[in-house]
Amino acid sequence: MATINSSNINITDLDFDDVSTSLKEYLKGQSTLKDYDFEGSNLSILVDLLAYSAHTSAFNANMVASEMFLDTAQIRKNVVSRAKELGYTPSSRTAAKATFDLTVNNPTVGGQTPSSLTINRGHEFTTVFDGSSFTFISLENKTITPTTGTFVFNDLTINQGKLTSDIYRYSSQVSNQRFPMLNTNIDTSTININVTSNNIVTSWTKAGDLTGIKSSSKVYYLQENDEGLFEVYFGDGVIGASPKDGDEISISYLVTDNLHANGANVFSMATSINGNSDVTFTNTISASAGKDIETTDQIKFSASKFYTSQNRLVTVQDYKAKLQELYPGADSIAVWGGEDNTPPAYGKVYVALKPSQFSNNLTTAEKNGLKKSLSALSVLTVRPEIIDAEILQILLSTSFKYDPTKTSQTKSALETLVRASILSYDNSELSGFDTLFRHSQLTSKIDGTETSLLSNITNVKLRKNKIATIDGRASSLTLDFGNSLYNPHSGHNSMGGGVITSTGFFISGDVNNYFFDDDGTGNIRRYYLDGSTRVYSDNAAGTIIYSTGVVSINSLTYSSTSNTDSSIDFTTIPSSNDVISTKNQLLDITASEISVTGVADTVASGETSAGVGYTTSSSYSS
Amino acid sequence: MAQFNSKNQSSRVSRRWFTDIDINMTLHPQSGDLTLKYDINAVKRSVKNLLQTNLYERPFKPSLGINLRGMLFELSTTTTDQVVLEQDIISLINNYEPRANVTDVIANQSGNSIDITMFFTISNSPLPQQLDIALQRVR
C-alpha cells in the first residue's frame, strides 16, 4: 500500500463538500481502494458518511461555541444566562400607566360626608382604546382627606392589567428552590412578596446592591428561567435571609395585556370608592411606557452597557444605561453635565426623559423616584437633576412651484398634500432628544410629494415659549435656542427689530403692551407700539448672544401677558436652516404655524417665454 | 478496518482498474482482510447502489438517486411512464457513474414489482454487460 500523506487533509474545512473533498484527496494517497471518486460506489457511501459525521460534529461545536458568548448566543435562555453572568436581569413586559387627578363628587358613607376616602391596591378603571377595552388598576393603597371640602386623589397612577398571585410553600428539603410566576405577561416591577411565618406576615423586597444585604435582610432575587418565566429565589442565610420550612410565600403581581394601551386618555371607574362612583377625571396624562419583554438583541445591548457602568454612574452612557433600566420603554433620554448647561452648574448632571410618544414630561413623583435612584449610584459630589423637556418650535413657511399641466390636483389640494408631507417628516424624524432638523431632507420630501411639484423655498424660524412669573415680584428670563442666530453683521436689521420678536406683555404699574426685539449688536430692547411705530422704553432690557442663541432678559415685574398661560413667545431666525436639538430640547414643527403656498409655474406650463414676468420666492425669512 | 498491506493483496489490486469495498463488510476467510470488489463487479455494485438510492436520501446530494422504491406503491404505469423511467435511469447512470456506458434499459412494471434490465459496457472493456434488478414490495 502506498504511503498516505496525512498533510493532505485540511482540518479547517467544515462544510460537507469540503470535508468530502479532503477525504478523497486523502484516499488518493493509496492504491488499494480506487473507487472513492464514483458517487455510486460503496466507498463513496463511506466517504459521505464520514463527511456528514464530521460536518455535523463541526456544526454542533460551532453552535455550542456560539451559545457560550453573549455576542453570538441565539437561544434566549443562553442569552439570559450570559447576561446573568454580568449581573443583568432582563426587564419584563412593562404595563402602560396613566396619571390623573380623580375628584370624588359629593361622597357619602353611611349617609354622611366621610372624613377620608381610600383607593385600595387593585382598584379598577377601564378605558376603550383603538376599539378594544382595557382594564387599568391602582397599585397603591391611597387615602385622602378633603381639602376645602373637596376629595381629590392627586397624581393617581394606574397601570394596565390585572393583579394575580402565586402561592408556594417553602421547603428547605428542596435544594435550589425557585418560585416561578406562572404568567408570561408579568410586569416584574409590580411584584409584591409576602412571607407568612408562624402567622406573621412580612413583606420582602427585591435585592439591590450586594453591599447593602445582610444575613437578616428580607430580600428576594429575580431572574428569568429556561422556560422564559420570571422566578424569584431567596438568600441562603448569609447573603439575604432564608425563609423557614413551611413558610407560605405569596407572590402578587400585575399581569398586563398582550396589546399595550399606550395613548389611552379617557378612563372610567369600574369599582366604586367606598360606595361612591360619581367621579371626575382631570389633568389626565395619557397612558404610556407600555412595552414588550426585552428581546434577545436588546438583552445583549443592555447587558454589556450595564456591565460597563458597573452599577455606578460616571459617564453619560452610564446614566443612559441606568435610566433605561429604571424607566424601561423611555422614548428618548438626554443627559449632559452641568458644565455644559446654560448657565453652568458645576457638580450637577442634568437628565431629561421623554416617557413616550404621547407625553413629553415625567410626573413629579416619577422625577423624585428617578432622582432618588440615581443619587444612590452617582459620584459623591455629583447631584442628578431631572428636568422637563423644552419644546423648540420650528415655524415653517413653504412656497412651492408646480406644473399645472402635469396634475389633476387643484392648488389647494397640493397645498394640503405638502402640509401632510411636512407633518409626516415631523412625526418620523423629530421624535426625541438629540435629533436634527435637516432642511434639505424636508425640502426633498416636499418636492417628492407629487409629480407636478417642481421646486420649493422653505424658510425656517424658531420659537420658544417662556413662562413669566406673575406674582408681583421681579424676575428675569433666560432662554436658550441652542442654535446660532442670524446676525451677518453687527447692527443687522437694527431699525427693523433685529431677529427677535415676542408676544406682548404688561409690566406692573404700566398700561403699555410691551414687546421685545434686538438691536443687532447683542442688546434686547423693550418697546410698545404707537400706531405702527416702535417706541423703545428700554434699549438694554437684556442681552442676546447670536453665536449660541442664548437670550437673557433682565428683571421685570410682569403683571400679565398676551398669552393666556402667562407665557411669552420668543421667535427668531436661525443662522442655519438645519436645527439641532440640544440638551433637553425637543424639536417640533408647529402644525398650526405651517404656511404653505403653491404657485403655478409659468415657465413649465408655457405661459412665460424667456422667463419674462416669472417671479420667485425669497429664500430669507422676514 | 482491515489493513491492505499484504504483498499478495497489493499485487492483486495493482492489476485491477477498479477496486471497491464490499458493502457487506465480509472478511476474507484466510487473510482476514476486508473483501473487495473488482472491475465489473465494482461497477455493477455501484450501478445497483445508484438505482436503489432514493432522491434526497444521501445528505447534501439531493439529486443523487431515483425513486424506484416509491414507484412500487404507485398505480400501474403506462407505456409513456415506463419510457420516462428508462430515460431517468439512463440520465442517472450518465451523471453519476462515468465508468458505465449504457446501451439499453428495459423497465417492466407488473403488479407491485419492477424488473429492470440494463445493458452497458465498461469504459476499459468492450464486453457487453447485463444487470438485472428486481424490486418487489414485501408488505
Side-chain angles (χ1 to χ4, degrees), chain A residues 107-110 114 116-120 123 153 271-277:
Chain A
T108 55
V109 175
S116 66
L117 287 175
T118 300
I119 282 182
N120 293 317
H123 193 91
F153 290 91
T271 48
S272 66
I273 304 170
N274 302 115
N276 298 283
S277 302

Side-chain angles (χ1 to χ4, degrees), chain B residues 60-118:
Chain B
F60 298 98
K61 291 177 181 172
S63 59
L64 189 149
I66 187 167
N67 281 340
L68 283 183
R69 270 183 267 171
M71 294 180 71
L72 289 174
F73 298 89
E74 297 293 332
L75 296 173
S76 180
T77 56
T78 63
T79 306
T80 310
D81 290 338
Q82 288 195 355
V83 171
V84 170
L85 175 61
E86 289 166 2
Q87 286 303 316
D88 285 350
I89 291 172
I90 291 170
S91 298
L92 174 70
I93 302 303
N94 288 341
N95 287 336
Y96 292 103
E97 188 44 87
R99 294 173 292 183
N101 300 315
V102 181
T103 51
D104 194 15
V105 173
I106 300 167
N108 284 317
Q109 186 173 18
S110 58
N112 290 113
S113 67
I114 298 174
D115 298 318
I116 294 169
T117 304
M118 194 170 91

Side-chain angles (χ1 to χ4, degrees), chain A residues 103-148:
Chain A
T103 306
V104 185
N105 301 316
N106 306 316
T108 55
V109 175
Q112 294 185 329
T113 302
S115 58
S116 66
L117 287 175
T118 300
I119 282 182
N120 293 317
R121 175 179 164 91
H123 193 91
E124 287 192 7
F125 297 83
T126 57
T127 184
V128 175
F129 183 68
D130 268 357
S132 300
S133 179
F134 298 98
T135 299
F136 281 66
I137 61 158
S138 166
L139 285 173
E140 305 290 336
N141 296 326
K142 194 165 188 174
T143 300
I144 55 159
T145 52
T147 306
T148 62

Side-chain angles (χ1 to χ4, degrees), chain A residues 1 16-17 20 24 31-35 38-46 48 52 55, chain B residues 4 10 13 16-21 23 36 42 45-46 49 58-61 64 96 99:
Chain A
M1 182 178 176
F16 176 85
D17 288 336
S20 182
K24 285 172 184 173
S31 57
T32 305
L33 298 169
K34 301 174 181 174
D35 289 4
F38 301 113
E39 298 293 350
S41 69
N42 294 327
L43 192 56
S44 180
I45 294 173
L46 284 185
D48 282 358
Y52 184 57
H55 175 74
Chain B
F4 300 98
S10 297
V13 166
R16 306 291 185 175
W17 285 98
F18 308 117
T19 48
D20 193 8
I21 58 170
I23 197 67
L36 302 179
R45 183 68 241 182
S46 175
N49 283 343
R58 292 274 283 273
F60 298 98
K61 291 177 181 172
L64 189 149
Y96 292 103
R99 294 173 292 183

Side-chain angles (χ1 to χ4, degrees), chain A residues 367-377 384 386:
Chain A
K367 278 192 273 194
N368 291 339
L370 278 182
K371 186 174 179 179
K372 188 178 173 187
S373 301
L374 293 176
S375 296
L377 300 172
I386 316 286

Side-chain angles (χ1 to χ4, degrees), chain A residues 446-503:
Chain A
I446 291 171
D447 282 348
T449 301
E450 217 260 358
T451 50
S452 65
L453 260 71
L454 301 170
S455 64
N456 75 89
I457 300 289
T458 299
N459 295 328
V460 179
K461 283 186 177 181
L462 302 179
R463 176 178 290 172
K464 276 198 105 165
N465 179 273
K466 200 73 182 172
I467 299 290
T469 307
I470 302 175
D471 58 0
R473 287 181 293 184
S475 62
S476 58
L477 298 176
T478 301
L479 60 151
D480 183 1
F481 284 99
N483 290 268
S484 60
L485 307 181
Y486 186 58
N487 186 241
H489 59 86
S490 181
H492 169 70
N493 196 29
S494 177
M495 298 296 287
V499 291
I500 288 283
T501 59
S502 79
T503 52

Side-chain angles (χ1 to χ4, degrees), chain A residues 83-115:
Chain A
K84 189 181 174 187
E85 291 166 3
L86 301 178
Y88 183 77
T89 305
S91 66
S92 65
R93 288 175 74 86
T94 308
K97 54 186 172 188
T99 306
F100 46 73
D101 295 339
L102 186 73
T103 306
V104 185
N105 301 316
N106 306 316
T108 55
V109 175
Q112 294 185 329
T113 302
S115 58

